[in-house]
Amino acid sequence: MATSRLRDVAARAGVSIRTVSNVVNGYAPVSDETRSRVEKAVAELDYRPNLLARNLKQGRTGMLALVVPELDVPYFSELARAVVTTARHHGYTVVIDQTDGEPDRERELITRGASAALFDGVILSPLALSPADLADRDASAPLVLLGERIADSRYDHVAIDNVTAAREATGHLLGLGRTRVAAVGDQPYETGETAQLRTRGYRHAHADHGREVDESLIVGTRRFHHADGARAMAALLDHPDGPPDAVFCYNDLLALGALRTLLSRGVRVPDDIAVAGFDDIEAGRYHTPTLTTVSPDKATIARLAVDRLIARLGDRPDEPPAELWAPHRLVPRESTTGPALRPPDMAARPGQAGH
């Protein structure tokens, strides 16, 4: 079947080609009756606009870039899915790259001439850049920053309130009556802003509950990976004053690594040690026990970031930089509250299907 053209839609709807273009592209207002006829013709003929031609006519490529530190970290892969979905609704394709947190790679991806030609806009989650690195950037393509790095720049910035989120997670553990709550994931060096904010929230929660912070229970990690969490948990279990009775991990991968160590050492969760994470990745919802976590609203983060790019590509290119906050929520699960009670018949007959 031949591909339908603009003129075919116009003939079917009984209007001019310009009117069809106005409806499809939103260039000018048309009556509801005319719009309905055109949209019906578009559906009947399965007409698909030539986005490439439209973008070239507007001097655009129709592509956005998403640059993250590590794609194999589930938080970033889940965020990437949300960005792709949001951008698709605006008619954009997203190209994704990772930097491994290397400053040279981050600078290369946002400053090289090829990128400026390839992408209409860039969403970047940096780990190593500073405001000075962006000072001389060619701003022809708009840039939106995610996370904590370079929040004081001239670019739009989307983040969550890490201090409050960590405060809530730690407060949840203290509110359960736990008295020795450890923190896993502190990173006091220059690029560890996210970890430092979560440590601040951890400290605030202790103050809220009138408790002193035991500095020896704050364990640093080089990265936020499973192995880092497993090693940190092993060190806490061997603590000279005895292990903690709860652990707040700065992301879910650290928490899942910690849970593996606890399982291998015969420690009961949450009876002996309660564990909470951060990010609400899918794996934590299906782990045994399911993982208590802070859930950042990834869909809103994606929407805010993409919408800012679209606005700057459209009729608001010169707006002042915006500081945008996405919501979060604490999701208590089995790793802190224990398993849900099963009906007696299910408990008595494990593995049998009900009738």
Side-chain angles (χ1 to χ4, degrees), residues 137-195:
R137 178 180 179 266
D138 178 5
S140 58
L143 173 68
V144 174
L145 299 170
L146 304 180
E148 280 61 53
R149 288 296 286 168
I150 338 175
D152 56 344
S153 74
R154 56 188 175 125
Y155 297 100
D156 296 312
H157 176 229
V158 180
I160 69 165
D161 186 342
N162 274 288
V163 175
T164 298
R167 189 176 194 165
E168 292 169 357
T170 308
H172 167 69
L173 296 170
L174 291 166
L176 293 172
R178 308 290 170 148
T179 59
R180 282 172 54 78
V181 179
V184 171
D186 188 47
Q187 296 176 342
Y189 40 83
E190 183 182 359
T191 59
E193 283 92 342
T194 297

